Amino acid sequence: MPLIGFHASHEQIAPSRLLGDVVHAEQAGFDAAMSSDHFMPWSTRQGHSGFTLSWLGAALASTRFPIGSVIAPGQRYHPAIVAQATATLGEMFPGRYWAALGAGQAMNEHVTGDPWPDQQTRRQRLVECAEVIRRLHRGERVNHSGLVRVHEAQLYDLPETPVPLYAACITPESATLAAGWAEGMVTLNQPGGAERDVLAAYRDAGGTGPAMLQIHLSWAPTARQAEEIAHHQWRANVFGPPADQDLPTPEHFDAVSGDVRLETVREAVWTSCEPDRLAEWIARGVHGFDRVFLHHVGQDQGPWIDIAGDRILPLLRKELS
């Protein structure tokens, strides 16, 4: 049976409140959690962007279940710093933390003032960063000169078992490349079930390890409320590459999403007021995936966590058993 986790969305919720949410999610019966990592939100309507690596220490100390995070080394984060941060989390919380490395998005990375590279360069940089991080996690002293530079780097505090390095993949092309270095992959639900093409590309290229799926959904006591939440919070998130990778600020995303209709949002966000229907959709959607992380796109997580614990998780586990 796939593990069923809770997604912690830093771009939508203040870190102090999100800490309470992840504790609540564990108490409600979720098996695990995963965390986003943003410097800026997708939209000014979301309005948050706490520092994930700080939050993870508090979240792991306040819970007992596993928590992973997406992180993009290479520009905003030097790979040696990613290696040190992730190794520290792994040493403090053995077996409970994993990192999904991604190529990044301009909205989070442009803040360094460095030019935003083209897609091919970003993908090559990610491969270099993954190798640097893995070598540092093995305790090696690392020198590297390429799209990133590392000089005489070595970590002195390492977990007994290295932190798993997964890949964050949105397209079949990125999944194919990730199969060469990743220990697993995470993707998200997309219109038309395109996430299955991403998974197939990863497996066909020889990719091993767990396959994880993040599902965006919206639940509320009424259908209209669920639709309003989805449209208000997530209409800036319906764009695929290159827009979602290259637009630099929340204001840019708000400008291009002004005319996005509810029908378009519903293709990316599974929206319903009926717990049974959501459980049925999720059960159908997770075929082939080992872990699923549910992301209610609203900013008030409490009612969602309660209905998930009371109704959706039991129904989903029954469907999947």
Side-chain angles (χ1 to χ4, degrees):
M1 180 184 298
L3 173 151
I4 305 170
F6 169 79
H7 178 70
S9 180
H10 283 274
E11 58 271 38
Q12 294 181 276
I13 302 166
S16 55
R17 184 174 179 182
L18 196 58
L19 179 60
D21 290 336
V22 77
V23 171
H24 187 181
E26 181 178 47
Q27 294 169 344
F30 282 93
D31 299 319
M34 70 171 286
S35 168
S36 61
D37 183 3
H38 275 245
F39 194 89
M40 290 184 173
W42 296 97
S43 166
T44 57
R45 293 181 301 277
Q46 295 176 342
H48 296 280
S49 59
F51 187 49
T52 299
L53 289 167
S54 298
W55 180 88
L56 281 164
L60 285 159
S62 301
T63 59
R64 295 185 177 182
F65 63 8
I67 306 177
S69 70
V70 177
I71 189 166
Q75 188 157 328
R76 179 169 47 124
Y77 295 125
H78 190 279
I81 301 305
V82 172
Q84 184 185 32
T86 54
T88 295
L89 290 170
E91 194 277 336
M92 293 175 67
F93 307 103
R96 291 182 52 209
Y97 175 70
W98 52 263
L101 308 182
Q105 295 160 314
M107 65 183 302
N108 298 314
E109 311 304 323
H110 78 276
V111 296
T112 65
D114 295 328
W116 180 235
D118 60 58
Q119 185 181 69
Q120 181 178 358
T121 301
R122 297 196 304 269
R123 288 175 173 173
Q124 292 173 344
R125 183 173 68 181
L126 175 59
V127 173
E128 287 187 23
C129 288
E131 178 60 21
V132 166
I133 294 166
R134 183 164 284 123
R135 290 179 62 194
L136 287 167
H137 280 184
R138 290 197 295 258
E140 297 181 23
R141 178 158 293 188
V142 176
N143 288 282
H144 178 85
S145 182
L147 293 170
V148 293
R149 297 176 63 84
V150 184
H151 180 251
E152 295 292 315
Q154 184 174 353
L155 301 181
Y156 289 84
D157 287 293
L158 297 169
E160 290 186 10
T161 302
V163 170
L165 298 181
Y166 303 144
C169 305
I170 304 298
T171 66
E173 293 77 18
S174 63
T176 298
L177 183 62
W181 63 264
E183 300 167 66
M185 60 85 71
V186 60
T187 190
L188 51 83
N189 65 305
Q190 301 181 57
E195 66 274 7
R196 299 198 175 281
D197 297 331
V198 177
L199 175 59
Y202 182 74
R203 294 302 191 205
D204 290 347
T208 60
M212 301 180 285
L213 177 66
Q214 179 189 1
I215 293 178
H216 301 305
L217 56 88
S218 181
W219 172 88
T222 70
R224 181 174 180 179
Q225 289 172 323
E227 291 170 350
E228 289 174 348
I229 289 170
H231 191 249
H232 181 266
Q233 280 293 294
W234 218 248
R235 67 178 181 266
N237 301 63
V238 300
F239 305 101
D244 68 330
Q245 298 176 4
D246 293 342
L247 293 177
T249 69
E251 291 80 7
H252 284 86
F253 279 91
D254 284 339
V256 300
S257 63
D259 295 328
V260 171
R261 297 171 61 86
L262 174 61
E263 291 76 12
T264 301
V265 177
R266 287 177 64 99
E267 293 178 2
V269 180
W270 298 357
T271 304
S272 178
C273 63
E274 301 177 27
D276 294 27
R277 178 173 294 183
L278 282 170
E280 180 183 346
W281 289 345
I282 296 164
R284 290 204 307 262
V286 301
H287 180 71
F289 289 92
D290 305 294
R291 308 174 190 173
V292 57
F293 293 90
L294 306 182
H295 174 209
H296 167 54
V297 300
Q299 292 182 295
D300 184 3
Q301 293 288 305
W304 150 250
I305 294 171
D306 287 336
I307 197 68
D310 291 342
R311 296 285 304 281
I312 295 175
L313 296 183
L315 288 168
L316 184 53
R317 290 181 174 123
K318 184 177 180 179
E319 289 267 0
L320 295 172
S321 63

